[in-house]
Amino acid sequence: MKKNRKRQKGERRTSAVMRLSFVALALLLQIAFVFFLANFLQEYTAAIYAALEIAALMAAVHIYNKSGDSTYKLSWVIVLLTLPVVGFLLYAFWSGSLQRKRIARQHPDNTAEPESVRMRSEMSADKLNRQLPNWSRLSSYLRRRDFLLYQNTRVTYFPEGEQLINDILTRVERAEHFIFLEYFIIAEGQLWDRMSAALCEKAKGGVEVKVIFDDFGNIRRFSGETIERLRDAGVEVFVFNPVQQYVNRLYFNYRDHRKICCVDGDFAYTGGVNIADEYANLFERFGYWKDGGVRLEGEGAWGLTTAFINMCGYLGGELHNERDYYRPHAAIKSEGFCQPFVDGPHNNPDNPAEDVYLQMVSNAKRFLYITTPYFIPDASMMRALCIAGDGGVDVRLMLPGTPDHWYTDCVAESYFGELLQHGIKIYRYTPGFLHAKSVMVDREIAFVGSVNADYRSFQLNFECGVVTYGTSMIEDLLEDMDGIMDRSHCITMEEWKKRPWGRRILESLLRLVAIWL
């Protein structure tokens, strides 16, 4: 058994290397062609070359004036002004505008909810406005984008990945009607052995089982043989954005980073946790792996279930029953409100994920706690954080002590000086890698989901999360965050200023290309 698993692991690695090598070679050929074309035009067709230089300048002006993230615009303007013709050709090939339009055409809109459901959402909004008026604007913003506000939902917070995954496995093993899984990473190992056995057994027993996973996230960790075994058992498997299918760099960048599990309509999960052994610390990777997530039980579970259904439809999947079959059935009475939402490049430049962050930061009055494994903010996010710090809000940012990517951590550290100047406390989680993605404000509102505080999550990835208002889960999250800070090192300005000059130069250079990291 061990020899067979070792052989399969070697085969997966070989397949992954071949596929990634193909993509890398195709990208290099594109770049080489662009430089060859630019050189050819300069040498033999001066008029066309000059016209392209003018076009590059016009493109730079267009990018500067268009709506969207300032970091993204600055990066392309620098390329266009430094290498006008090459930059213009790269922008034409790689800007992603055509790809975003294609995604927007193909990605289905949220199916209109019955009037009775919308009325309940509006009634919940009125109640929220009376109880927590400071947050009614955020709720209204999400509702205008068809993300309904729910009551009658029990929200449970899990401070460890192992706890969350074990609860998911228990619910999956008890499923009677359907199981929907959508994850960036589903990796073979101890957890997957148990999950796979349960999924196959349920599918053979008539339970509707659908699995979506991102190809890039699993390219070395999920074999074709495993997919075939699932399909043979009746599990419907959908691979999001195969890496070898789209050579274009920015389309290749569009990944399904969501973490969603829905069972029988009454239970739905999200957070930072993927289905892989390191998330439960079954083996050590970057030290101790700290993560978290939530379970929605009741009406609010529908917000994540419908998100999965829409993505499944985008990938060509079909439901076995009418849409209403998948709605929650359990009668739950609980305090507070919840509002699940999703985001993705199909709705750019409208970005609910970043806008939720910004509104939570801007509306904070007493304290604001953030956990994120990656921190690459744009100008608006930095400004909002600094204003909050200057306004007397106790802002605390919690980051990994042992990062998984040195270059993203290098970019994050470049922002520390400005944050510290405005009174923001920065904590490095000393036991290892902090992968949780959460925000908590004034013990009134919290966000938990798949969204990192970086450009990739805000602009490129398909993401999800849930905002909760006035729930007991917020106190559990606060207790967990206090525990994180107790086990973290608080960065000082003196310490930050002592970093090597080589790292400072590298930070400055990497910030220029942060949108491509």
Side-chain angles (χ1 to χ4, degrees):
M1 183 70 177
K2 288 184 178 180
K3 288 184 178 179
N4 186 48
R5 177 165 289 184
K6 186 176 182 180
R7 177 183 61 79
Q8 290 180 351
K9 187 176 181 180
E11 291 175 352
R12 290 197 301 274
R13 286 181 175 176
T14 302
S15 174
V17 169
M18 291 178 64
R19 293 167 68 194
L20 289 174
S21 297
F22 169 77
V23 173
L25 178 61
L27 293 174
L28 289 174
L29 288 175
Q30 284 188 32
I31 295 173
F33 172 75
V34 167
F35 275 90
F36 169 78
L37 181 61
N39 183 68
F40 176 82
L41 292 172
Q42 183 180 23
E43 186 172 352
Y44 296 102
T45 54
I48 297 178
Y49 189 87
L52 287 175
E53 284 189 318
I54 295 173
L57 293 175
M58 293 176 64
V61 173
H62 169 71
I63 292 170
Y64 178 80
N65 288 304
K66 68 186 295 190
S67 61
D69 175 62
S70 59
T71 304
Y72 171 87
K73 294 191 290 186
L74 176 62
S75 298
W76 274 117
V77 167
I78 290 174
V79 172
L80 287 167
L81 295 182
T82 305
L83 300 168
V85 176
V86 172
F88 178 74
L89 294 173
L90 287 175
Y91 180 74
F93 291 154
W94 285 12
S95 69
S97 298
L98 295 177
Q99 289 79 6
R100 281 194 292 272
K101 291 178 181 178
R102 178 186 176 191
I103 290 174
R105 288 195 302 268
Q106 292 182 346
H107 200 279
D109 296 329
N110 289 343
T111 300
E113 290 291 320
E115 187 62 25
S116 60
V117 176
R118 292 189 174 275
M119 285 298 296
R120 284 202 301 271
S121 177
E122 293 303 315
M123 291 171 62
S124 297
D126 290 339
K127 189 174 180 180
L128 173 64
N129 188 39
R130 292 193 299 270
Q131 294 182 7
L132 297 169
N134 192 43
W135 301 108
S136 61
R137 187 175 67 178
L138 172 57
S139 171
S140 177
Y141 165 87
L142 288 173
R143 293 198 320 277
R144 286 176 63 87
R145 285 149 182 82
D146 285 331
F147 302 119
L148 302 186
L149 181 68
Y150 299 94
Q151 290 182 267
N152 303 320
T153 305
R154 185 179 299 119
V155 185
T156 304
Y157 177 70
F158 296 91
E160 296 291 344
E162 182 178 11
Q163 297 174 8
L164 178 66
I165 294 175
N166 283 335
D167 197 77
I168 289 175
L169 286 166
T170 299
R171 298 294 174 186
V172 166
E173 290 167 348
R174 298 175 182 174
E176 297 179 353
H177 305 292
F178 69 88
I179 303 166
F180 294 159
L181 299 178
E182 181 180 352
Y183 284 89
F184 180 60
I185 295 174
I186 301 178
E188 295 171 1
Q190 297 179 50
L191 291 174
W192 175 248
D193 287 345
R194 182 180 168 188
M195 177 68 78
S196 177
L199 295 177
C200 291
E201 179 184 353
K202 290 298 178 179
K204 290 177 181 177
V207 175
E208 182 178 356
V209 183
K210 299 182 188 294
V211 176
I212 299 172
F213 70 87
D214 186 272
D215 192 38
F216 184 78
N218 298 275
I219 194 167
R220 294 179 54 191
R221 310 185 67 182
F222 208 64
S223 66
E225 292 82 357
T226 298
I227 296 175
E228 290 306 313
R229 282 197 297 271
L230 289 171
R231 287 174 172 163
D232 290 342
V235 178
E236 299 173 61
V237 182
F238 303 90
V239 182
F240 182 89
N241 199 1
V243 297
Q244 75 277 11
Q245 186 173 344
Y246 303 107
V247 175
N248 182 292
R249 172 68 171 127
L250 287 188
Y251 195 82
F252 173 78
N253 252 345
Y254 297 146
R255 311 312 320 179
D256 185 0
H257 193 246
R258 296 175 185 172
K259 288 89 175 168
I260 296 176
C261 172
C262 307
V263 180
D264 290 346
D266 293 321
F267 302 94
Y269 300 80
T270 189
V273 182
N274 287 295
I275 308 299
D277 287 352
E278 63 266 32
Y279 290 83
N281 285 289
L282 297 180
F283 71 89
E284 185 174 308
R285 190 179 183 203
F286 312 113
Y288 185 83
W289 195 293
K290 178 71 176 72
D291 221 315
V294 294
R295 181 185 70 211
L296 306 182
E297 183 179 357
E299 291 182 4
W302 177 243
L304 293 175
T305 303
T306 189
F308 178 94
I309 291 173
N310 288 338
M311 178 60 79
C312 187
Y314 169 57
L315 298 176
E318 296 181 356
L319 298 176
H320 295 183
N321 301 279
E322 294 295 326
R323 192 179 181 94
D324 286 345
Y325 172 85
Y326 304 92
R327 291 183 183 274
H329 303 288
I332 301 294
K333 294 295 183 181
S334 63
E335 83 294 356
F337 312 82
C338 74
Q339 201 163 13
F341 69 92
V342 295
D343 195 3
H346 60 286
N347 50 252
N348 282 351
D350 182 23
N351 297 302
E354 183 173 21
D355 291 343
V356 166
Y357 262 78
L358 285 170
Q359 291 191 60
M360 293 182 74
V361 172
S362 300
N363 288 350
K365 294 181 178 178
R366 293 181 293 150
F367 51 86
L368 164 69
Y369 293 173
I370 300 173
T371 68
T372 180
Y374 313 109
F375 182 74
I376 305 179
D378 61 13
S380 58
M381 182 65 70
M382 279 294 291
R383 185 63 180 158
L385 287 168
C386 292
I387 289 174
D390 286 342
V393 178
D394 181 6
V395 182
R396 304 190 184 194
L397 176 64
M398 290 160 253
L399 301 171
T402 305
D404 62 338
H405 300 305
W406 65 268
Y407 44 89
T408 55
D409 188 69
C410 195
V411 175
E413 195 167 277
S414 70
Y415 294 96
F416 287 5
E418 185 176 357
L419 294 173
L420 291 169
Q421 284 180 344
H422 293 271
I424 296 171
K425 301 180 181 67
I426 304 170
Y427 294 84
R428 289 283 202 177
Y429 182 67
T430 52
F433 186 48
L434 177 61
H435 192 256
K437 304 106 170 19
S438 57
V439 184
M440 191 279 303
V441 182
D442 295 343
R443 301 175 76 171
E444 295 178 344
I445 183 175
F447 163 81
V448 177
S450 67
V451 184
N452 299 310
D454 67 354
Y455 179 87
R456 178 172 293 278
S457 276
F458 292 150
Q459 301 286 336
L460 299 176
N461 289 341
F462 289 84
E463 302 283 1
C464 68
V466 58
V467 179
T468 67
Y469 312 81
T471 64
S472 59
M473 162 263 169
I474 297 172
E475 292 299 314
D476 297 331
L477 175 61
L478 174 58
E479 182 180 353
D480 186 38
M481 288 176 158
D482 286 338
I484 290 172
M485 287 183 285
D486 288 342
R487 290 172 286 170
S488 298
H489 170 67
C490 189
I491 304 296
T492 65
M493 180 65 80
E494 293 72 20
E495 179 182 347
W496 180 77
K497 288 181 177 179
K498 290 181 180 179
R499 68 198 194 287
W501 279 103
R503 185 174 178 88
R504 298 185 186 191
I505 295 173
L506 188 59
E507 289 172 2
S508 300
L509 294 175
L510 287 174
R511 278 182 65 162
L512 294 175
V513 295
I515 66 169
W516 293 294
L517 293 180

